[in-house]
Amino acid sequence: MPLQKMLTFAFSTFLNGILMSASNLNPNVSVDCVVFGFDNEQLNVLLIEQKMQNRNKVQLALPGDLISDDESLDDAAARVLLELTGLQGIYLKQFKAFGNPNRVKDIKDLDWLQSYREQPQARVITIAYYALVKMEEFQASASSFADRVFWQDVEAVPALAFDHNEIFSTAFAQLREGFEQHKTGFELLPEKFTLSQIQRLYEIILGKKLDKRNFRKKILKENLVTPTNQKQKGVLHKPAMLYEINNDENS
Amino acid sequence: MPLQKMLTFAFSTFLNGILMSASNLNPNVSVDCVVFGFDNEQLNVLLIEQKMQNRNKVQLALPGDLISDDESLDDAAARVLLELTGLQGIYLKQFKAFGNPNRVKDIKDLDWLQSYREQPQARVITIAYYALVKMEEFQASASSFADRVFWQDVEAVPALAFDHNEIFSTAFAQLREGFEQHKTGFELLPEKFTLSQIQRLYEIILGKKLDKRNFRKKILKENLVTPTNQKQKGVLHKPAMLYEINNDENS
DNA sequence: TCAAAAGTGTTAAAAGTACACCCATGA
DNA sequence: TCATGGGTGTACTTTTAACACTTTTGA
């Protein structure tokens, strides 16, 4: 590195040192959250509109933020989710770190970085999480980093900022793997749900039709749900029994 | 943050800016590698002795390094492995990021950080990989960051630097998961191997005895190995058929 | 001839898969 | 009374699990 560039670099680092001390953000590491929600029809992912001065340049992105210097990665992900949705105690799983050296160097992302990052040129490694939320409990709210927050059908995710399309695809693949082993997924359902709702969720995520009788046998055998005494009301067909997650110790 | 501390911080950041420009390392992100090797008897993990001025304070650790600013995470992990073992093209899998804010703040790790890190106080998030190597091909070599490199039985891993014991345990658990689904593992075996060797490996990693006849049926049905025409030589019992990994396209 | 690990088949239980009809409700 | 999704059982196939003896080699 030539001397002049080196000194320029050192000086900008010096300035950033002063600027940073206010927010105490770590310029090199962020978390991003792929938040899944299920509305009994389709599977959705939570997207944000990046705040921009110029309303013509709005881009969509996954919610995320630089980590602050005294919080763990899990805490940072929970914070992002809380700021965005007001939800706490959500199922959150770290699934992969993304660290391509050029992942925040694309020209399309320059404006936003310059407006909202104290070190826009910094290389950022992101730790990606996926979260499963009950849409009924969810109340999205604009936040410091988003003008608008909205659900998008996972089958129609548009072009996103940075490498967020890759992060989303990886998250979806991970989710599918979890479902193949029945290790996860009930977090997406409402408090009380019918067996058909679970089946619909499985069919969407696994991307194939399942046999109703076999599916029910299997789910019930796994003992993860128990019937309540309630039934659906106001449906134009035979009302279904409502189930809930089985929190008993003995499986 | 009080003004004095803020200026001190800014100034040290200024100095570090100058120092850093030489090596171009990212002070906030490292990779660590949990390298597994199998010697037909036990499963081993590769450990290093951290280089220290004071030979009395030597600590053991997993191999790892700060990432350099222009390499991807995968490249960084491959580089660490290459420097340490001379091996290339090794099976390497990113499995988790560790980012506890205090993970490099323990007093036991201070000396080493001050000797080898340009920003000893920096918070470091590490991206952990596990690697599977054929011990027959392996030639460990001391390197820039290790005085000594050696294999340690996974059943007797001593106290390690930083949070490396936690990283190791997580890696081992992940490895076991992969084996439960037969998705990985052959990378640990020599070029040619017997079915009993695979079975021994599975038994060690899964931590339980397996039935010989059932195990063979299953492995052969999966079509991941094919018999060669060779047999073991010089063993004091009936020589076993040697198998190799099946690289055919058709399974 | 002995010690050591290789190699081999059958049977029973469990899990998975395919498949079709009646039921309860609200409109 | 009709449209809609809820709810149920059986037969077949595949997978898993348990189990013991003969073979080949070098010492």
Side-chain angles (χ1 to χ4, degrees):
Chain A
M1 197 183 275
L3 183 61
Q4 193 193 342
K5 195 170 170 198
M6 195 168 108
L7 288 177
T8 308
F9 172 66
F11 187 64
S12 77
T13 308
F14 170 73
L15 285 180
N16 283 323
I18 293 176
L19 293 168
M20 261 184 62
S21 54
S23 59
N24 238 23
L25 295 176
N26 186 311
N28 293 128
V29 184
S30 65
V31 295
D32 284 306
C33 296
V34 183
V35 185
F36 291 102
F38 178 59
D39 59 13
N40 290 327
E41 291 270 317
Q42 58 192 31
L43 187 67
N44 300 285
V45 60
L46 205 61
L47 297 182
I48 64 168
E49 270 182 11
Q50 289 181 328
K51 271 193 177 173
M52 292 296 272
Q53 258 88 328
N54 181 342
R55 301 315 260 63
N56 296 328
K57 289 196 177 176
V58 165
Q59 259 196 128
L60 304 176
L62 295 172
D65 197 8
L66 295 177
I67 65 172
S68 105
D69 252 341
D70 55 1
E71 71 187 347
S72 72
L73 300 172
D74 290 0
D75 289 348
R79 172 174 57 81
V80 167
L81 209 59
L82 177 64
E83 287 176 5
L84 208 70
T85 66
L87 290 178
Q88 277 181 295
I90 294 305
Y91 179 86
L92 254 174
K93 175 129 179 79
Q94 187 203 302
F95 68 93
K96 184 151 192 216
F98 292 81
N100 186 303
N102 300 317
R103 61 176 292 279
V104 298
K105 307 295 186 192
D106 194 293
I107 188 81
K108 76 183 193 298
D109 298 310
L110 189 60
D111 274 6
W112 185 86
L113 287 167
Q114 285 179 340
S115 304
Y116 291 97
R117 289 278 164 87
E118 284 164 359
Q119 298 184 220
Q121 82 297 345
R123 172 176 178 186
V124 182
I125 284 90
T126 201
I127 317 295
Y129 284 77
Y130 69 84
L132 306 181
V133 309
K134 303 183 197 308
M135 279 180 75
E136 54 172 7
E137 294 179 1
F138 165 84
Q139 185 53 35
S141 54
S143 74
S144 56
F145 48 83
D147 276 336
R148 199 165 74 87
V149 182
F150 62 98
W151 288 111
Q152 177 69 44
D153 181 356
V154 294
E155 301 299 337
V157 173
L160 303 176
F162 309 118
D163 54 353
H164 285 188
N165 287 95
E166 182 189 352
I167 295 177
F168 164 74
S169 304
T170 309
F172 196 19
Q174 291 274 135
L175 186 62
R176 179 164 291 157
E177 261 191 51
F179 268 70
E180 276 165 0
Q181 302 159 241
H182 296 252
K183 283 189 180 161
T184 188
F186 294 103
E187 296 87 353
L188 284 164
L189 294 163
E191 281 308 318
K192 296 186 176 163
F193 47 83
T194 70
L195 294 181
S196 293
Q197 283 174 322
I198 312 185
Q199 186 177 342
R200 211 137 44 218
L201 179 56
Y202 269 80
E203 287 178 342
I204 288 171
I205 292 180
L206 300 182
K208 62 182 179 195
K209 278 257 151 223
L210 300 172
D211 179 87
K212 184 160 58 159
R213 282 179 280 198
N214 295 337
F215 182 80
R216 284 165 177 248
K217 258 182 285 180
K218 197 165 169 182
I219 289 292
L220 291 175
K221 172 125 47 110
E222 281 173 21
N223 247 23
L224 299 171
V225 298
T226 40
T228 64
N229 291 324
Q230 298 164 54
K231 293 190 175 184
Q232 280 183 313
K233 276 180 188 163
V235 289
L236 10 163
H237 54 77
K238 176 173 175 180
M241 176 70 81
L242 292 171
Y243 288 75
E244 59 188 4
I245 294 177
N246 179 6
N247 292 315
D248 277 11
E249 294 309 304
N250 51 342
S251 66
Chain B
M1 195 185 274
L3 182 63
Q4 193 193 340
K5 195 169 169 199
M6 193 169 108
L7 288 177
T8 308
F9 172 65
F11 186 64
S12 76
T13 308
F14 170 73
L15 285 181
N16 284 322
I18 292 175
L19 293 169
M20 259 185 65
S21 54
S23 60
N24 238 23
L25 294 176
N26 186 311
N28 294 129
V29 183
S30 65
V31 294
D32 285 305
C33 295
V34 182
V35 185
F36 291 103
F38 178 58
D39 60 12
N40 290 327
E41 291 270 316
Q42 57 191 33
L43 187 66
N44 301 284
V45 59
L46 205 61
L47 298 181
I48 64 168
E49 271 182 13
Q50 289 180 327
K51 271 193 178 172
M52 292 296 273
Q53 258 88 328
N54 181 342
R55 301 317 261 61
N56 295 329
K57 290 195 175 178
V58 164
Q59 260 197 126
L60 303 177
L62 295 172
D65 198 8
L66 294 176
I67 64 171
S68 104
D69 252 340
D70 55 0
E71 72 187 345
S72 72
L73 301 172
D74 290 0
D75 288 348
R79 171 173 59 81
V80 166
L81 210 59
L82 177 64
E83 287 176 6
L84 207 71
T85 66
L87 289 177
Q88 277 182 296
I90 293 306
Y91 180 85
L92 253 174
K93 174 128 179 80
Q94 186 202 303
F95 68 94
K96 184 151 192 217
F98 292 81
N100 187 303
N102 301 316
R103 60 176 292 279
V104 298
K105 308 293 186 194
D106 195 292
I107 188 82
K108 76 183 195 297
D109 299 309
L110 189 60
D111 275 5
W112 184 87
L113 287 167
Q114 285 180 339
S115 305
Y116 292 97
R117 288 278 165 87
E118 284 164 0
Q119 298 184 220
Q121 84 296 346
R123 173 177 178 186
V124 181
I125 285 89
T126 201
I127 317 296
Y129 284 77
Y130 68 83
L132 306 181
V133 308
K134 303 184 197 307
M135 279 180 76
E136 53 172 6
E137 293 179 2
F138 165 83
Q139 186 52 35
S141 55
S143 74
S144 55
F145 49 82
D147 276 336
R148 200 163 72 86
V149 182
F150 62 98
W151 287 111
Q152 177 71 44
D153 181 357
V154 294
E155 301 299 337
V157 173
L160 304 176
F162 309 119
D163 56 353
H164 285 187
N165 288 95
E166 182 188 353
I167 294 176
F168 165 74
S169 304
T170 309
F172 196 19
Q174 291 273 135
L175 185 63
R176 178 165 293 157
E177 262 192 51
F179 266 70
E180 275 164 0
Q181 302 160 240
H182 296 252
K183 283 190 181 161
T184 188
F186 294 104
E187 296 86 353
L188 284 164
L189 293 164
E191 281 309 318
K192 297 188 176 164
F193 47 83
T194 70
L195 294 181
S196 293
Q197 283 174 321
I198 312 185
Q199 187 177 344
R200 212 136 46 218
L201 179 58
Y202 269 81
E203 286 178 341
I204 288 172
I205 292 179
L206 300 181
K208 63 182 179 195
K209 278 253 149 228
L210 300 172
D211 179 87
K212 184 161 58 160
R213 282 177 282 196
N214 294 338
F215 183 80
R216 284 166 176 247
K217 259 182 283 179
K218 199 164 168 181
I219 290 292
L220 291 175
K221 173 123 51 110
E222 282 174 20
N223 247 23
L224 299 171
V225 297
T226 39
T228 64
N229 290 323
Q230 298 165 54
K231 292 189 173 183
Q232 278 182 315
K233 276 181 189 160
V235 290
L236 13 162
H237 54 77
K238 177 173 174 178
M241 177 71 82
L242 291 171
Y243 288 75
E244 59 188 3
I245 295 176
N246 178 7
N247 291 317
D248 277 10
E249 295 308 305
N250 51 343
S251 67

